[in-house]
Amino acid sequence: MKRTGRLCLAVAGGLFLAALPASGLPAVEFSQAIPGAAATPPLGWNSWNTFRCGINESLIEHTADAMVSSGMRDAGYRYVVVDDCWVASQRTSTGELQADPVRFPSGMRALGDYLHARGLLFGIYSSPSEATCAQTYGTYPGRTGSRGHEQIDASTFADWGVDYLKYDWCAPGAAVGEQRQAFNAMRDALRSTGRPIVYSINANSGIVGAVPGSSGSWRWTSSMSRATNDVVPAWRLGRGPYDYQGIADIIDSAALLTTQFGQGFWLDPDMLEVGVDGEPLNYPGLSTAESRTQLSMWAMMAAPLIAGNDLSTMSAETGRLLTNRGMLAIDQDPAGRTGEPLPGTEGSVWTRYLADGSVAIAFYNADVSDRVIDLDPSRLGQFGCIENVWAGTKSDLSGHMRANVAAHDTQLFRLTADCQLSSS
Ligand code: GAL
C-alpha cells in the first residue's frame, strides 16, 4: 500500500482535505464544510419519524438509554437528534433560543450533558427562516427560527454542547441564491464557534429537478444535504414532486444523484423507517425485506443512517438489522465513495468500490414478485471471495453470481480477493 500524506488547503467557502499518495496525485478529495465533523456518514437516531411534535426530555433520555442497552451505540450510532418542536415560542430577553419549559424543563445543556455522559452525541433542529417547519404549518406555536440570528444561535448551540444541527428550509419554493446566503450564514456561524458541529441541511423539500434546492451542489456548504422530500414508512407512493416519498421512490430519485456526493459531503435520502410503526399515519410500515432494502441501499449510497423508530419498543429483529456489522462497514467505508447503479442492469445491481480494494454489490428487486438477478463479477475486477452480508456467510467465488431475490428485498454482497486474507 502506498504511503499517503494529508494536505489541507483553503478553497472558496470550505476546507479541502486531500489524501496525497507518494506520487503527489490526489487519491481522494475530502470536502468538509465544518472541519472535523463528518468524515464518514453520521449514524444516529432522530425523534421526527415516530414522535413528530410529541417529544420531551424523558423520551429523549429513555431513547438514549435504549441506544446504549440495545447495542446501537456500540455498533456506531451516536447522534441523538432532537427534531422540531423542542424550542420555546419566545427567545430570552437577551435574544437566545431557549427550550420549551414544559417539554424540556431541565434545558438543552442538561440534555446534552446526559447524552455525552453516555458516550452519545447531541443533535438539534432549527430552520433558516423566521419559523421552524412545524411553526410554519401551524402545528407548533411561535416563530423562533434562526434566520437573522445565526451567530447567536450557533453560539448557543455550541454552548449547550450540540454536535449536530439539522437545518431545514421546509418549503418547496425558494430562489437558490437566497438559500445559499441563508445556509452559508449558518455554516459560517457554526465554524466561528470552533466546535465541530455536523451541519445537516434540507434545501429541497421536494424531489430532484422539481425544487430549486436540488440544482447545484451544497458540497462547500454542509456536511450532508437532503436530496428528497420527506420519507414515510411505505414502499412506493408514486406521488407528485412535493409529496411524501416511500423508500422505492427515494431510491429512484437518489440514484440520479449519487455521483455528486461522497467524501465528506453525504447524500441524505432522509432518515430510516426501519421498525417505524406506520399505523398512526396510515402507512403500512416496512416489511423485513423492505427494511433490508432501505439499509442496503442507504449503505450503497454512503448515506447517513439516522434511525427513526421507537427504541424502547424495538424488536430483536429490527435491532439486528440496524446493527448488522457488514452493512455498517460498507456504509462507513473510509474511502467515502458513493455507489451507483451498474449500467445495463436497469437499477437492479448497484456497485460501490471500497477502501481495501473490495467491492460492495447490491442486488435490488423493486418488483412485486421474486426475481433472479445475476452478474458476471469479472466485469468488476478479480475477486476470489464473496461475503453475503445479510446471511452472514462467506465463500469462495467462482463464475457467475446468481441469486433469487424476494419481492422488495435486497441482497448485499462484498467481494474480496481471497477468503483467507479478508478479515471482514
Ligand atoms: C420537515 C423535514 C422533516 C422534519 C419536519 C419537522 O421539513 O423534512 O424531516 O424535520 O420538517 O417539522
Side-chain angles (χ1 to χ4, degrees):
M1 188 199 269
K2 280 187 180 166
R3 289 225 345 258
T4 60
R6 286 179 78 79
L7 179 74
C8 186
L9 299 170
V11 175
L15 274 192
F16 182 96
L17 293 177
L20 294 185
S23 67
L25 293 171
V28 290
E29 294 173 357
F30 252 88
S31 76
Q32 294 190 356
I34 309 288
T40 56
L43 303 178
W45 178 89
N46 173 298
S47 52
W48 185 255
N49 280 2
T50 291
F51 298 102
R52 299 298 202 254
C53 278
I55 54 173
N56 59 47
E57 191 171 295
S58 67
L59 168 79
I60 304 299
E61 291 177 357
H62 287 138
T63 299
D65 296 346
M67 253 165 116
V68 177
S69 61
S70 64
M72 280 183 69
R73 179 199 60 187
D74 292 346
Y77 292 85
R78 296 192 63 207
Y79 293 94
V80 175
V81 185
V82 184
D83 207 282
D84 207 349
C85 309
W86 64 267
V87 72
S89 57
Q90 301 286 333
R91 290 176 174 266
T92 64
S93 57
T94 45
E96 286 101 359
L97 290 175
Q98 54 187 338
D100 179 303
V102 175
R103 293 160 188 245
F104 294 90
S106 313
M108 299 319 263
R109 189 205 309 266
L111 186 63
D113 290 347
Y114 189 94
L115 299 174
H116 292 147
R118 285 154 185 78
L120 297 166
L121 296 164
F122 180 22
I124 212 163
Y125 171 99
S126 192
S127 292
S129 43
E130 284 175 10
T132 72
C133 197
Q135 290 175 339
T136 302
Y137 289 105
T139 52
Y140 191 73
R143 294 187 70 74
T144 38
S146 291
R147 186 79 169 267
H149 306 272
E150 290 85 359
Q151 203 63 52
I152 191 169
D153 290 357
S155 301
T156 302
F157 296 149
D159 194 42
W160 288 344
V162 165
D163 305 291
Y164 181 118
L165 174 66
K166 174 172 169 180
Y167 207 47
D168 181 20
W169 188 267
C170 184
V176 179
E178 184 195 351
Q179 287 194 320
R180 281 212 184 278
Q181 187 279 329
F183 282 116
N184 287 348
M186 182 54 92
R187 174 203 61 196
D188 295 345
L190 291 172
R191 265 197 210 148
S192 73
T193 68
R195 186 176 175 84
I197 297 176
V198 171
Y199 188 30
S200 160
I201 69 166
N202 178 13
N204 287 286
S205 288
I207 67 166
V208 61
V211 288
S214 65
S215 54
S217 172
W218 297 94
R219 178 173 282 274
W220 303 111
T221 297
S222 62
S223 321
M224 52 195 264
S225 158
R226 264 275 289 280
T228 67
N229 205 344
D230 290 19
V231 66
V232 291
W235 175 250
R236 188 189 289 286
L237 302 178
R239 297 194 188 147
Y242 305 119
D243 214 325
Y244 291 133
Q245 294 187 281
I247 60 166
D249 299 313
I250 288 182
I251 294 165
D252 287 350
S253 52
L256 309 170
L257 300 173
T258 59
T259 51
Q260 298 173 28
F261 288 85
Q263 299 178 332
F265 173 58
W266 308 111
L267 170 69
D268 178 7
D270 210 354
M271 302 175 288
L272 299 177
E273 293 287 8
V274 175
V276 173
D277 181 3
E279 243 174 59
L281 295 170
N282 291 323
Y283 290 106
L286 302 187
S287 67
T288 300
E290 292 165 352
S291 299
R292 261 194 301 268
T293 287
Q294 190 179 25
L295 289 166
S296 303
M297 299 307 284
W298 268 230
M300 292 301 284
M301 293 189 255
L305 301 178
I306 308 293
N309 55 317
D310 181 349
L311 298 188
S312 66
T313 58
M314 175 164 70
S315 70
E317 181 177 63
T318 296
R320 272 195 300 276
L321 290 168
L322 288 170
T323 57
N324 180 287
R325 294 295 198 271
M327 177 277 296
L328 289 170
I330 293 169
D331 183 71
Q332 296 289 296
D333 185 70
R337 298 184 195 100
T338 54
E340 52 188 323
L342 188 66
T345 66
E346 291 170 351
S348 63
V349 179
W350 280 53
T351 56
R352 179 175 171 196
Y353 288 89
L354 305 176
D356 63 357
S358 62
V359 61
I361 298 173
F363 279 5
Y364 164 50
N365 181 6
D367 293 351
V368 291
S369 46
D370 296 7
R371 164 175 182 194
V372 172
I373 299 178
D374 68 350
L375 173 73
D376 175 1
S378 67
R379 278 180 75 175
L380 308 174
Q382 291 302 310
F383 300 100
C385 181
I386 179 166
E387 177 189 351
N388 182 328
V389 170
W390 292 114
T393 58
K394 205 183 269 188
S395 52
D396 289 335
L397 172 70
S398 51
H400 247 70
M401 291 170 62
R402 189 178 164 82
N404 186 43
V405 186
H408 295 186
D409 207 346
T410 297
Q411 294 198 15
L412 190 59
F413 305 100
R414 183 172 183 146
L415 305 189
T416 48
D418 186 324
C419 284
Q420 310 307 319
L421 299 176
S422 75
S423 54
S424 58

